[in-house]
Amino acid sequence: AQSVTQLGSHVSVSEGALVLLRCNYSSSVPPYLFWYVQYPNQGLQLLLKYTTGATLVKGINGFEAEFKKSETSFHLTKPSAHMSDAAEYFCAVRDSASKIIFGSGTRLSIRP
Amino acid sequence: DAGVIQSPRHEVTEMGQEVTLRCKPISGHNSLFWYRQTMMRGLELLIYFNNNVPIDDSGMPEDRFSAKMPNASFSTLKIQPSEPRDSAVYFCASSPTGAMTEAFFGQGTRLTVV
């Protein structure tokens, strides 16, 4: 069965610093991978997704993620953090049965 | 499109009462998911429908929980009887058919059982 592991339940960076949120997956078939963002009291919103093709995927708000099959990773990055990036971020995998399984989430805080 | 619509947004009920959460998926979407979010357990998949048929309900906590999808535009999640430990935010999400597609989430229903 597919699964997702997010390393670090809470990440804090300074405004303008690099954001790196880690995600590792396990899958017996080629995975379809997603990053979602959740702002307080709201639902989840898609940031970006990897299905096939280019392994570097660009999303909204300046975020991008790179699919690395050899490392079974799909880490999320942003070169320069903004205060508005403070939120909870979820990595997810869609399995062969089309269930979407989420990681435990990483709360991103931005220091002024 | 209005997106996935959930109702109510907030529900406070007494222990032992029946609670029904409602979801209208995006028109044309064939898959529907119910998730529960808590601080302790994160985002848990409760049940997944495809073309109105329940495919996987292994995440439903116990017999007190039931879900239906009588047609392509409506689903319910019922808890009977409710317990304080059921307090959580319940999300409904829908997606087109196909593993490459993402799920679109509703705003959630915040359930408090006192």
Side-chain angles (χ1 to χ4, degrees), chain B residues 24-72:
Chain B
K24 176 178 169 55
I26 294 172
S27 177
H29 283 190
N30 301 93
S31 298
L32 184 137
F33 309 84
W34 281 101
Y35 289 90
R36 177 172 69 176
Q37 185 177 35
T38 61
M39 289 290 292
M40 291 297 295
R41 302 173 72 92
L43 201 60
E44 303 173 274
L45 177 63
L46 300 178
I47 188 169
Y48 155 53
F49 291 87
N50 194 41
N51 292 323
N52 312 337
V53 176
I55 303 299
D56 188 336
D57 65 355
S58 59
M60 296 286 263
E62 48 197 274
D63 292 345
R64 298 184 297 107
F65 285 68
S66 62
K68 294 182 179 180
M69 192 164 186
N71 57 61

Side-chain angles (χ1 to χ4, degrees), chain A residues 32 34 36 38 41-46 49-52 88 90 94-104, chain B residues 9 31 33 35 37 42-43 45 48 55-56 58 91 95-96 98-108 110:
Chain A
Y32 302 113
F34 309 87
Y36 284 81
Q38 184 181 30
N41 300 314
Q42 293 189 25
L44 279 72
Q45 175 186 358
L46 183 73
K49 65 180 178 181
Y50 169 79
T51 54
T52 60
E88 183 122 20
F90 293 90
R94 190 155 195 177
D95 71 7
S96 55
S98 281
K99 291 193 301 185
I100 302 178
I101 306 300
F102 285 83
S104 54
Chain B
R9 288 295 310 275
S31 298
F33 309 84
Y35 289 90
Q37 185 177 35
L43 201 60
L45 177 63
Y48 155 53
I55 303 299
D56 188 336
S58 59
F91 287 103
S95 79
M100 294 187 183
T101 56
E102 68 270 26
F104 295 77
F105 279 74
Q107 293 295 294
R110 181 173 297 276

